[in-house]
Every structure is written in C-alpha cells, then in structure tokens.
Amino acid sequence: MAKLYIRNAKALVGTHPSSVRSVAGDRMADLPVLNDAWLLCEDGRITALGPMSSGPDIDPSAVQTIDAAGRYVLPGWCDPHTHTVFAASRDAEFVDRINGLSYQEIAARGGGILNSAAKLRVMDEGELFERSRQRVLGMIRQGTTALEIKSGYGLSEESELKMLRVIRRLKEDLPIRIKATLLAAHALPKEYASDRQAYLDLIIKRIIPRVVDEGLADHIDVFCETNYFTVHEMLRLLEAGSALGLAGKVHVNQFTSIGGIPAAVTAGALSVDHLEVMEEEDYTALSGGSTIPTLLPSCSFFLGIPYAPARRLIASGAPVALATDHNPGSAPSGNMNFVVSLACIKLRMLPEEAMNAATLNSAAAMALSDEVGSLTVGKRADLIITRPMPSLAYLPYAFGTVPIEQVIVHGQVIDLNDV
Ligand code: NIG
Ligand code: FE
C-alpha cells in the first residue's frame, strides 16, 4: 500500500469535519487548524491525522516521510472557474487597453471572445491539448489540485465539442480532479449575428443533448450580460441543461446588473460568478446560501473594473468562493496564490476567509467538496506544503512570491521541476 507520512507540520490547515461541505457568512472566518501535527496518506487518500504529541505508530524509515517543520500543510487550491483551454494569448488587446480602449470596445470591434474563437476553430485538437496541458501543469506547480474548465471559444457544434474533448483528455492525462463546463453561450458567433434564436436552438436542440450523450460536461454556463445573453435566454439554457443533469454555473453581473442573479438562484444554479456590479436584489437573492457566489479578483485587477463586494456578501450570510477565471482576455493568470492575496488586499477578506473560499467553498462551487477542499480523513490527499513562514497570514501578505515548497496530488509528491 503506497503510504506518505507528513510529520512535524507547523499546522495542518482546514481540518474541517467531513459533515461540513461549505462555510457561509460569519463561519467563513473559522478555519480549523491543528498545530504541530502529522498526517498520513494511503493509496491517494488522507487516512489519519493528529498532533505530534500522540503520533501514529509508524516507523518513518519504512514509509515515504516528509518533515514539514516550520511549514504549513494546506488542502490544494480548488479553482472552480477557468477558461484554460484556449488557442492563443491576446496580448495585442492588452496593449489596446493600455492605449485607452475598454474590454467592451475591443469586443465590439470583433476582438475579445470572437477573436479567441476564430483562433481556436482553426487549431488542431492535438495542438490545443498540448498547449492547454502545459498551462494546467503550470497551475499545479502553483498549488492548484482541482479545477473547472469551460468550453466557450468554439461557438459552433464542432468546435465546442473539440474543446470539451480536450478537457476530457486533460482529465485522463493529469492526476488532478477536473470538471468540464459547457459554455456555448459565451458570445453570439458572427454567423448568427442576425438570428440569435437559431444559435439558441442549436445549443438547446443539438449541442446540449450531444454533449450529455457523450458524457463531455458536468455543468452548463451562460454569459448573462448586456450585449451577450439576456436573463430570459440564460433561463432557457439553464432549464435545458438541468433537464439533462447539467447544473448551472453562470457568468453574471460583470459589467451590469440585469437580474441574472435572482433568476439563476431561482433556477437552482450551483454558482453565480463575477459579481463586480451588484444591486440590493442581488444580495437578497444570495442570502439563502444555496447558490455559491464565486469571485474573480484577478479579472478586476487585470481589467481595472470594480472588485466584487465580498464583505457585503459575507455579511449577508453567503458562502463566498474564489477562482482565477484564467483566460486570455480578462485574466491571463492561473495563480490561486495571487487570487488569495488579492482577496485579502482588495476584497478585505481575512486570510482565514480567503483560504476557506479558495479550498472548501471553491470545491463546493464545482460539486466536489465531498472529495477535496479540506484536510479530512477520507478525502483525496491533495496537499500544499508551504515554504517555512512565520504565520498563515504571511502567505497572502507576501503577494507575488512563491509560497509553496511541495505539491502532493492523490498522495503523490509532484516533482515541481518536472511540471
Ligand atoms: O469570465 N466574461 C466572460 N468571459 C470571460 C472572458 C472571456 C474572454 O475575454 O476571452 C470572463 O471574464
Ligand atoms: Fe469567466
């Protein structure tokens, strides 16, 4: 039996009981830790943990042992909103924005999502897989051990399927947990500019059934926003998805508040993501806690748009989650360490709140919190071992540095030079 024994940890962080699947409101500040502790993994799972004062009956020379003195052991980061499968960067648009154009102006000129779609459609599937695989390896190196990836740069039946097949290959090829989301309603493709009903019909009548039939997606997403898809269109798509077992995870309130949040909550969406622009009715809709608000501070940082009001969401009792939004247009970084720093610095989340949001709650935002997101006996042994640091708050405080010394996925130490 493959065993890994971690001993002398400064603390095990996020030792939630298995009954806790997410934390909301005031409870987000409760991040359980076990000081001066050990943890045992067997066959990819956490099988025991405890304080060094009552260590396990183990001969360290007989099993693979890591001495974590001075270091914290955390659950690997869970990143529940990414667009990591894409053909190419959009650094020319980055320079256009420095020169004064807005994200929306660039999109209106045919840049943005349609620019990415044009490049992805002509790229060979093998090449798309290789490029995406390299990006995911880079994210693992930065401590991400569970990940959601969306389609949405295909915008045709053939190319959306191509993206989802690439995500399936990533699931098969890499040791981390990956969830796939169908985002065919990311933008209206040029071919349908004068007939949006036909595109919605294509998604509802052909793409969703085929994707479900081939087992290619776990969730469905819609970009519900002025100039993209309306609330009514989002509801039609969520209904068609949920009828075939795809739970909703939707883009809402990035630039405007048009009623997407109350509608998505009523439709039973698993998460509502972005939330940079919020109205009173949006907070009210989320206070029940059934839908997870997922905040993407790297997008606000990169586009210079407002940061989501995390404090107000927490005060209203919501279970806030964090994600990178990794994509070539609005957040070209898959670094969750930076997201956790931004959450503390810009969203004014406490380090404990940000860490719960980037582990347990973000696992819940992709329906994975029974498997990952905390240091709990029975869960997957997906772990971060930090560099030596004086306190847990030092991790988000030292923004932009690499806080991680080792990453363990499914009980296996990842060779960080190799990925
Ligand atoms: O989450 N807002 C919509 N989708 C992405 C950006 C996509 C792009 O610009 O390529 C986002 O920010
Ligand atoms: Fe996004």
Side-chain angles (χ1 to χ4, degrees), residues 81 83 251 274 325:
H81 179 137
H83 309 251
H251 284 74
H274 271 291
D325 196 15

Side-chain angles (χ1 to χ4, degrees), residues 293-376:
T294 300
L295 311 183
L296 315 168
S298 295
C299 173
S300 298
F301 174 80
F302 187 71
L303 291 187
I305 63 175
Y307 285 89
R311 288 260 54 94
R312 179 87 204 269
L313 285 161
I314 293 172
S316 66
V320 171
L322 290 164
T324 61
D325 196 15
H326 186 208
N327 77 77
S330 70
S333 157
N335 188 342
M336 282 294 284
N337 303 295
F338 184 58
V339 167
V340 170
S341 284
L342 278 180
C344 295
I345 297 162
K346 293 294 188 181
L347 308 186
R348 299 187 56 83
M349 291 174 75
L350 294 167
E352 292 82 1
E353 291 172 329
M355 289 183 193
N356 271 326
T359 55
L360 188 64
N361 285 2
S362 52
M366 46 185 160
L368 279 182
S369 66
D370 54 341
E371 271 185 70
V372 296
S374 63
L375 302 189
T376 306

Side-chain angles (χ1 to χ4, degrees), residues 44-200:
R45 303 261 150 197
I46 299 170
T47 50
L49 52 84
M52 288 307 292
S53 56
S54 59
D57 187 14
I58 276 187
D59 171 7
S61 64
V63 295
Q64 186 182 2
T65 299
I66 295 176
D67 194 314
R71 294 149 174 90
Y72 292 93
V73 179
L74 279 78
W77 301 129
C78 298
D79 188 349
H81 179 137
T82 84
H83 309 251
T84 295
V85 171
F86 56 86
S89 63
R90 303 213 304 261
D91 34 283
E93 292 180 8
F94 169 59
V95 177
D96 289 342
R97 281 196 305 102
I98 296 169
N99 280 320
L101 287 180
S102 71
Y103 179 84
Q104 293 99 314
E105 284 164 342
I106 291 166
R109 295 197 312 187
I113 295 165
L114 295 182
N115 173 357
S116 283
K119 290 183 178 138
L120 186 134
R121 285 174 175 190
V122 296
M123 183 170 278
D124 165 76
E125 193 166 322
E127 175 70 15
L128 187 61
F129 168 74
E130 232 358 277
R131 290 188 185 198
S132 305
R133 183 172 174 277
Q134 290 306 322
R135 288 183 203 117
V136 178
L137 290 175
M139 293 162 91
I140 296 173
R141 194 184 301 131
Q142 288 161 334
T144 296
T145 56
L147 178 66
E148 182 255 21
I149 310 175
K150 301 170 191 299
S151 68
Y153 292 128
L155 307 183
S156 69
E157 181 174 347
E158 187 194 339
S159 297
E160 286 292 303
L161 268 284
K162 175 166 80 177
M163 286 189 80
L164 292 168
R165 281 194 303 269
V166 166
I167 300 171
R168 178 165 64 193
R169 251 181 99 182
L170 293 169
K171 286 188 191 188
E172 289 164 358
D173 188 74
L174 296 166
I176 64 169
R177 282 295 266 127
I178 295 178
K179 286 280 194 118
T181 299
L182 171 66
L183 175 56
H186 198 190
L188 190 67
K190 276 202 191 87
E191 314 83 87
Y192 291 89
S194 58
D195 192 0
R196 49 192 305 122
Q197 283 316 318
Y199 188 56
L200 289 168

Side-chain angles (χ1 to χ4, degrees), residues 1-54:
M1 205 189 284
K3 282 191 187 179
L4 174 66
Y5 172 47
I6 301 170
R7 63 176 175 170
N8 294 326
K10 183 163 182 164
L12 303 179
V13 177
T15 52
H16 289 282
S18 60
S19 56
V20 177
R21 292 291 158 83
S22 63
V23 283
D26 292 348
R27 295 200 48 212
M28 284 196 64
D30 294 339
L31 180 67
V33 300
L34 191 60
N35 291 319
D36 192 19
W38 58 270
L39 180 143
L40 185 66
C41 316
E42 291 173 76
D43 283 341
R45 303 261 150 197
I46 299 170
T47 50
L49 52 84
M52 288 307 292
S53 56
S54 59

Side-chain angles (χ1 to χ4, degrees), residues 180-254:
T181 299
L182 171 66
L183 175 56
H186 198 190
L188 190 67
K190 276 202 191 87
E191 314 83 87
Y192 291 89
S194 58
D195 192 0
R196 49 192 305 122
Q197 283 316 318
Y199 188 56
L200 289 168
D201 283 347
L202 174 73
I203 299 174
I204 291 169
K205 296 196 179 126
R206 285 195 55 90
I207 300 184
I208 294 176
R210 191 164 160 206
V211 160
V212 169
D213 212 42
E214 295 184 27
L216 283 169
D218 306 291
H219 305 291
I220 182 162
D221 193 348
V222 179
F223 188 16
C224 178
E225 182 61 63
T226 307
N227 294 332
Y228 290 86
F229 293 92
T230 67
V231 173
H232 177 70
E233 290 166 345
M234 175 186 74
L235 285 176
R236 275 189 67 196
L237 292 158
L238 287 183
E239 208 173 284
S242 85
L244 295 181
L246 304 181
K249 284 173 65 62
V250 292
H251 284 74
V252 281
N253 292 49
Q254 182 176 7

